[in-house]
Amino acid sequence: MNLQYADGAEQYRSAYLRGLQPDPELWIDEWADEYMRIPRDTGAAEPGPYRTDRTPYAREPMRCLSPSHPAKRVVTKVASQMMKTQIALNWIGGCIHMAPANILMLLPSLGLAKRVSGRVDKTIKATPVLRDRVAGSRSRDSRNTLDTKEFEGGTLFATTAGSAANLAEVSARFIYGDEVDRWDVDVDNEGDPIELAETRGTTFGRNAKFYFSSSPTIKGVSRIEDLFQQGDQRHYYVPCPHCGEHQVLEWTNLKWADDFSWAGYLCCNPDCGALIEEHHKGQMLANGEWRAHAEGDGETVSFTLSALYMPPGWLAWVDLAKQYAKAQLAAARGDLEPMQVFYNTRLAQVWDSAQEMTKASELKARAEEYRLGSVPTGALILTAAVDTQGDRLELLVIGWGEGMERWVIDHQVIQGNPADERTWAALDERLKTRYRHSSGVELAICATAVDSGGHHTDEVYQFCRLRRWRNVFAIKGASKPGRPVIAQRPSKVDVTWRGTTEKQGAELWMIGTDTAKDWIYNRYPLLDGPGALHFSIDLADDFYDQCVAERKITRYVKGHKRIEWVKGKADRNEGLDLLVYNLAMAHYLGLHRNKEAEWSRLRAAVSQGSLFAERVSAALPEAETDTAELDDKPAAVPSPPPRPSPQPVGRRRSSSTYLTRR
């Protein structure tokens, strides 16, 4: 039996001779034109030799990605299916051939990482100069697997950006981050994944190069938008075929027939005003040029491009017009998702859903002439909510009226470390406060929600455990669509020394934050009547910003649509959270189920004040009022009214075996 053994000496001589040959000194775009092949089995629309002239706008980003180019970071904020992944493949191939070193490729999900890695594998097999340098697929070793591909001089790693371990294990000179707007905001509580990824190239100094690409998502949240703003913000200018005026293709200048029989682009030159037909686009792209709109940080070059620039034969202007018209019809029905998708994936623009929502300035403009700490006539019952922060507690008291109409009664910030008992003692005194109604009756807070999220969960449980009889509850938000505003029953969070549930211990109520935010945002436009929210003129300006800090966006996770509420990285949303928690307490008291009879009984209870109590005006005093005269008046001494609760809640026992364990 004759066995064929590999000739080790021949393999050594071949590798030695290849090492003596100088690597080609080419820009990445030149390398791609000469060597890159697009495999047929990837389903590509135009397989075969790669031609940069087909997408001339991709030449400059590839040149900036070349190892010899001084740019440290390249950012492409472009429409879907434009140039992002193919540029990355060209760059990876050129680096393997001309400047071999470790390459780290990061994707938002494991499934996408596998698909892109499979595409890289097929590209390597279809490109001869890469096939000769990358280890072949073998079942007996791990040199070429789905997530690892060894080559002469380095290794290509393909993994997800969702794990801190993935971002900390490998040192790499070249790092590619795809669809960065779909990455997790905070990876395993260790920080921004963009910064974690870039630390992998620290040891390479100025020789390291990073490429980040994505279509944008929502304003204030989009990472690719932040990276684009960090760079020199390059736009692609193309000449008008009639007057030669270079211009950026803007969506507002695209015109089309009502029946979509034609579409053309209106030249921005007022002296020309020609309607450019789409068959001129190939010539326009070939003669286009990138122009920077900012200086940037000196290290980052950034590019943006919309689907209006797609080469002839790809997505036509008429098709874009049709998609936009469909999104308009959906928006008219109240469904903003198609318009958001159009802005993100076709126009490469961030979606500002706040343009369809009530703005903070509108809320502030309708602030009413009543003081914080006073209860207007329409408010009949009070709830409170407490937000726990690292250095303070924030308290918001809401007055509820018929039809769930609401008034902001009080907003206080209690400075102090929540780990300090004195901070909670100060909160307890605030919660015992009785607020004077305009009828003269003093109203107590009927239910209080205390946020148990964050780093002070145990302190919240201890505070609420001793005050259950006062309807002071620990709560936690659950961001999941379809959940009720407040759970049907609480979870017991205390256990005995035997490991059993402590029946008289602390309780945790789960809050459906998505449902509550939908309810709140839908009623912001209401000025009066059921569901309307009234603001005191004493509120700080930033409180209104906090109330509208979050936006509703659509994400696709593993192919499934997910609706999420998000906020900007630097925005504060304590005001919105406090409104959500107060709504949960209103649901706990059953106010959303009240009929006219229940509201009438509450109204009667509030109006029956002491005969010796003075009626109080919640309005601001006139400018000429003599404050000294007011101080001289004797204070009213009303008799304590019964607690105005729609459904009297029996006094809870505060005793707990949890506190007397043996």
Side-chain angles (χ1 to χ4, degrees):
M1 180 177 182
N2 295 326
L3 298 176
Q4 297 294 328
Y5 293 97
D7 189 344
E10 178 61 28
Q11 293 295 325
Y12 174 82
R13 285 193 296 270
S14 175
Y16 183 78
L17 290 175
R18 285 201 308 273
L20 293 177
Q21 296 176 358
D23 292 330
E25 291 288 342
L26 298 174
W27 298 104
I28 292 297
D29 59 303
E30 296 173 339
W31 181 92
D33 286 332
E34 183 172 350
Y35 296 106
M36 176 56 71
R37 300 293 182 270
I38 300 176
R40 293 184 177 276
D41 53 356
T42 59
E46 299 178 5
Y50 177 82
R51 294 178 295 128
T52 306
D53 290 340
R54 186 74 172 103
T55 54
Y57 47 75
R59 186 176 300 279
E60 185 69 16
M62 285 192 288
R63 187 150 295 192
C64 294
L65 282 169
S66 301
S68 56
H69 193 279
K72 180 180 181 180
R73 189 180 298 103
V74 178
V75 177
T76 55
K77 185 191 70 168
V78 298
S80 298
Q81 303 297 316
M82 286 289 287
M83 61 178 183
K84 303 188 297 291
T85 306
Q86 188 58 51
I87 285 179
L89 293 173
N90 295 343
W91 177 48
I92 291 171
C95 291
I96 292 175
H97 186 193
M98 299 186 296
N102 281 353
I103 304 172
L104 179 60
M105 186 167 59
L106 298 170
L107 286 302
S109 66
L110 183 60
L112 186 58
K114 290 180 179 179
R115 290 197 296 271
V116 175
S117 180
R119 184 173 173 182
V120 171
D121 188 62
K122 293 177 181 179
T123 300
I124 290 173
K125 293 178 180 178
T127 307
V129 294
L130 300 181
R131 187 172 60 243
D132 295 340
R133 285 168 169 75
V134 180
S137 301
R138 297 170 59 185
S139 59
R140 286 178 290 178
D141 61 33
S142 58
R143 298 179 61 205
N144 188 340
T145 62
L146 196 60
D147 59 354
T148 304
K149 303 185 187 304
E150 292 187 4
F151 52 86
E152 296 176 0
T155 304
L156 170 64
F157 302 94
T159 185
T160 70
S163 170
N166 294 342
L167 301 177
E169 292 178 348
V170 179
S171 177
R173 178 184 175 187
F174 305 112
I175 297 176
Y176 168 50
D178 189 21
E179 295 298 342
V180 296
D181 267 22
R182 280 75 184 172
W183 290 10
D184 292 336
V185 177
D186 187 359
V187 178
D188 298 339
N189 294 322
E190 294 192 20
D192 186 358
I194 298 290
E195 297 181 2
L196 292 176
E198 291 196 354
T199 58
R200 299 301 91 214
T202 301
T203 57
F204 292 93
R206 288 294 299 175
N207 289 326
K209 194 173 287 286
F210 312 103
Y211 173 39
F212 298 109
S213 67
S214 181
S215 53
T217 50
I218 195 168
K219 182 179 180 181
V221 179
S222 175
R223 281 193 188 85
I224 199 67
E225 176 68 15
D226 293 341
L227 290 169
F228 175 75
Q229 297 292 335
Q230 181 179 331
D232 52 9
Q233 304 174 31
R234 302 187 186 186
H235 294 69
Y236 200 61
Y237 283 73
V238 294
C240 171
H242 304 288
C243 67
E245 176 79 13
H246 277 73
Q247 56 198 286
V248 177
L249 297 184
E250 302 284 357
W251 176 251
T252 55
N253 284 359
L254 187 69
K255 311 299 178 182
W256 60 87
D258 293 338
D259 60 354
F260 303 106
S261 58
W262 62 268
Y265 189 85
L266 183 65
C267 178
C268 70
N269 185 359
D271 297 330
C272 175
L275 197 63
I276 304 172
E277 297 181 5
E278 192 167 9
H279 66 82
H280 292 294
K281 190 160 56 171
Q283 174 190 353
M284 295 165 65
L285 293 177
N287 296 318
E289 59 185 39
W290 289 99
R291 296 181 183 177
H293 285 197
E295 293 184 3
D297 60 3
E299 296 182 335
T300 306
V301 291
S302 54
F303 304 86
T304 185
L305 204 68
S306 73
L308 291 169
Y309 290 91
M310 280 197 175
W314 290 15
L315 185 65
W317 285 344
V318 168
D319 295 329
L320 283 174
K322 290 179 180 179
Q323 183 177 351
Y324 179 75
K326 291 181 180 179
Q328 277 188 316
L329 291 175
R333 298 192 301 268
D335 182 9
L336 298 178
E337 177 194 343
M339 189 62 74
Q340 177 191 332
V341 172
F342 184 82
Y343 265 72
N344 295 160
T345 64
R346 297 307 187 193
L347 301 185
Q349 295 181 11
V350 292
W351 171 248
D352 185 6
S353 58
Q355 63 189 353
E356 304 294 340
M357 296 180 179
T358 304
K359 296 179 173 58
S361 58
E362 298 175 6
L363 297 180
K364 181 183 176 183
R366 70 184 202 218
E368 301 176 10
E369 300 285 333
Y370 70 89
R371 291 289 191 187
L372 284 180
S374 61
V375 184
T377 304
L380 305 176
I381 187 170
L382 304 183
T383 63
V386 180
D387 189 51
T388 308
Q389 298 293 326
D391 60 347
R392 67 191 185 279
L393 302 175
E394 294 205 16
L395 169 67
L396 182 70
V397 180
I398 294 291
W400 299 87
E402 186 172 358
M404 300 286 281
E405 191 171 3
R406 299 158 289 159
W407 287 262
V408 176
I409 303 302
D410 200 5
H411 180 234
Q412 298 187 36
V413 178
I414 304 172
Q415 295 292 343
N417 189 342
D420 190 337
E421 291 185 3
R422 292 173 295 181
T423 305
W424 295 100
L427 172 64
D428 192 39
E429 291 301 317
R430 303 291 201 285
L431 295 180
K432 293 177 182 177
T433 301
R434 289 178 176 265
Y435 293 88
R436 182 69 63 85
H437 192 271
S438 60
S439 66
V441 171
E442 290 183 337
L443 300 183
I445 296 171
C446 294
T448 303
V450 185
D451 176 28
S452 66
H455 304 291
H456 299 281
T457 303
D458 187 64
E459 287 84 353
V460 174
Y461 288 167
Q462 175 65 13
F463 182 79
C464 298
R465 182 185 295 117
L466 302 176
R467 295 164 180 84
R468 284 176 52 189
W469 65 275
R470 283 166 48 192
N471 288 343
V472 178
F473 304 119
I475 58 94
K476 184 177 181 180
S479 180
K480 186 177 181 181
R483 280 182 177 261
V485 173
I486 189 170
Q488 185 178 10
R489 60 181 60 87
S491 302
K492 304 292 185 180
V493 293
D494 285 340
V495 294
T496 66
W497 63 276
R498 296 177 178 175
T500 60
T501 301
E502 172 59 60
K503 295 182 180 180
Q504 300 299 327
E507 297 177 345
L508 177 65
W509 291 84
M510 300 304 296
I511 307 300
T513 56
D514 285 6
T515 305
K517 289 171 186 176
D518 283 334
W519 190 92
I520 291 169
Y521 270 79
N522 290 339
R523 286 157 180 78
Y524 273 151
L526 302 178
L527 302 179
D528 199 7
L533 177 58
H534 303 269
F535 300 93
S536 167
I537 200 169
D538 289 341
L539 289 168
D541 292 346
D542 64 343
F543 180 80
Y544 302 98
D545 296 323
Q546 296 174 25
C547 289
V548 294
E550 297 193 17
R551 299 173 175 87
K552 198 173 185 179
I553 66 169
T554 301
R555 297 185 191 273
Y556 285 88
V557 180
K558 297 181 179 180
H560 299 284
K561 184 173 72 173
R562 177 182 295 175
I563 308 296
E564 297 179 354
W565 285 92
V566 298
K567 70 177 185 69
K569 293 182 285 293
D571 294 339
R572 294 175 53 192
N573 65 339
E574 292 94 323
L576 177 59
D577 287 342
L578 291 169
L579 290 176
V580 168
Y581 305 155
N582 269 289
L583 179 63
M585 291 298 95
H587 277 243
Y588 170 80
L589 295 174
L591 302 184
H592 61 300
R593 296 191 299 267
N594 273 8
K595 301 295 191 297
E596 174 61 28
E598 286 86 353
W599 290 115
S600 296
R601 283 196 293 270
L602 278 174
R603 197 177 299 110
V606 169
S607 63
Q608 293 175 358
S610 169
L611 296 176
F612 301 99
E614 296 182 1
R615 296 186 63 85
V616 179
S617 174
L620 294 173
E622 297 294 335
E624 62 273 10
T625 301
D626 188 349
T627 56
E629 180 182 351
L630 292 177
D631 294 337
D632 293 336
K633 291 183 178 180
V637 186
S639 60
R643 174 180 293 181
S645 174
Q647 294 178 351
V649 181
R651 179 183 177 94
R652 296 192 176 199
R653 289 163 45 194
S654 61
S655 61
S656 172
T657 56
Y658 182 87
L659 303 175
T660 57
R661 293 179 180 175
R662 293 193 296 270

